[in-house]
Amino acid sequence: MEQSWRWFGPDDVVPLHAIRQAGARGVVTALHQIPYGEIWTVDAIRERQGKIGADPSLGLHWNVVESLPIHERIKLAEGDLTALFDNYRASMRNLAACGVKVICYNFMPVVDWTRTELSHALPGGGRALRFNAHEYAAFDCFMLQRPGAEAEHAAVLERARAWFAAASESAKAVLLSNIMAGLPGAFDRYDIPGLRRMLARYSEVSAAGLRENLARFLREVIPTAEEVGIRMAIHPDDPPRPMMGLPRIVSCAEDLAALTGAVPSEANGITFCTGSLGAGAHNDVPAMARQFAGRIHFVHLRNVANEPDGSFMEADHLAGDTDMVAVVEALLAEQGRRKAAGDAHWRLPFRPDHGHELLDDIGKGSFPGYSTIGRLKGLAEIRGVMTAVSQLRGLPI
Ligand code: DNO
């Protein structure tokens, strides 16, 4: 598996040489400065490649785009989408012309990954990301005041009410900004009125409707992907459940089966994110890795510890509820299959997904989840698992 590392570009406080020191060579990045829906030009792509390759001794290359975002109007099927589809295809062609051929994207309405706490203290002073079900319920029911929300949070409603009653205005503001922190670009961060407006735009979109909108997107872009050799890799919902009443359709095995079946092409693939899928108690993550192996084009390895009320915490990469050894074994077996079949792209790019903030990470201002030392530790642990599984099972690493 190709060891990779997410780099947010020149604004990332984690420098490129740290990637090399961590042991990765693949750089996963995106042109976050370009507004959603606009074309990524060859010049802009080359400029980023120039930065990544500026010091050849590091041996880094841009191997995966994360993400080429989907404009909200495509998710909503709102208005004439011709220009948006044309622009998306143009960006795909430009990326392929520059040799960047794996594109990660997601189809989560309005918000991306969602946590309520970005700096949860761990024994010894590390920091982790957490999702507290009662805080999220307080946000949904009492800050957003979404009609019908209380019924959905019955199990934690009393704790949510108590949290809200005791919370200062600044604690509420922190909760809002934590929930918004999952949106990586400079665009589309919402305040409460803005969120309500977005939810209203989705009021007519059911899960089935959203599924159809995704299928339409895939029908528009997969032929281009096939033509230029791009592998599209949808990222699962994080957490894998409806949020704020918004449907989510990439949350479980049935969802993955539906979307891969909607356009049955190898180019229509998956980012296998163990942390996102693992935050759903309904998901058997190693079994899903085996079931969808042929469509996995990019991998995020991370672990979560789930709690009975729906809360979860980002755990060490080899701790938590997901059997990481079993996942790695499934992925290496798939690599073996591809290699034997003569597939030039048999090696799967993967990155350690979020890490804790550890030691000198603290106070550095890295993007939530994207610390240096925490990810370096995660990558090192996974590298150990990969090496052991590969040797014991005779599978290509
Ligand atoms: C979280 C990330 C996601 C991912 C997008 C892909 O850390 O894995 O935000 O980049 O969902 O489009």
Side-chain angles (χ1 to χ4, degrees), residues 66-101:
E66 179 174 351
S67 308
L68 181 57
I70 312 274
H71 196 279
E72 214 62 37
R73 279 183 45 224
I74 293 181
K75 299 180 198 168
L76 284 156
E78 197 175 74
D80 180 1
L81 301 179
T82 316
L84 286 175
F85 288 136
D86 284 346
N87 288 1
Y88 203 95
R89 285 187 291 256
S91 298
M92 291 169 71
R93 287 184 193 284
N94 292 344
L95 284 160
C98 298
V100 185
K101 295 200 168 178

Side-chain angles (χ1 to χ4, degrees), residues 1 334-336 338-340 342-348 396-397:
M1 289 163 75
E334 172 61 15
Q335 289 197 150
R338 289 183 194 188
K339 195 172 180 203
D343 181 348
H345 307 292
W346 62 267
R347 188 168 269 130
L348 282 163
I397 197 163

Side-chain angles (χ1 to χ4, degrees), residues 102-277:
V102 178
I103 296 178
C104 168
Y105 68 101
N106 76 76
F107 220 75
M108 290 176 251
V110 188
V111 286
D112 193 311
W113 60 271
T114 310
R115 302 288 180 274
T116 59
E117 241 191 301
L118 304 182
S119 207
H120 181 82
L122 297 168
R127 302 266 187 270
L129 305 188
R130 261 193 74 89
F131 181 88
N132 294 315
H134 70 283
E135 287 182 358
Y136 167 62
F139 177 80
D140 200 14
C141 301
F142 309 124
M143 290 173 61
L144 200 52
Q145 297 173 349
R146 183 172 64 85
E150 295 194 18
E152 290 172 26
H153 299 291
V156 289
L157 195 58
E158 282 323 306
R159 285 178 63 214
R161 213 184 288 284
W163 182 91
F164 185 71
S168 62
E169 286 313 307
S170 75
K172 292 176 198 166
V174 168
L175 181 59
L176 171 66
S177 103
N178 289 353
I179 288 175
M180 288 296 118
L183 297 167
F187 305 92
D188 288 351
R189 262 183 193 71
Y190 306 102
D191 56 10
I192 298 282
L195 256 181
R196 288 199 188 114
R197 277 194 297 276
M198 287 308 293
L199 299 191
R201 282 170 72 188
Y202 274 93
S203 60
E204 302 299 312
V205 182
S206 63
L210 190 64
R211 232 181 268 286
E212 175 44 36
N213 300 347
L214 170 58
R216 176 178 173 195
F217 168 75
L218 292 170
R219 287 193 297 270
E220 290 281 348
V221 304
I222 293 299
T224 304
E226 287 174 335
E227 185 193 320
V228 299
I230 289 239
R231 277 150 286 144
M232 296 296 290
I234 195 166
H235 188 282
D237 306 325
D238 181 6
R241 63 187 78 148
M243 297 297 288
M244 302 175 216
L246 295 163
R248 287 190 162 197
I249 55 166
V250 193
S251 293
C252 59
E254 292 71 27
D255 289 347
L256 293 179
L259 86 92
T260 49
V263 176
S265 158
E266 226 174 79
N268 171 22
I270 297 166
T271 295
F272 196 77
C273 177
T274 56
S276 302
L277 296 168

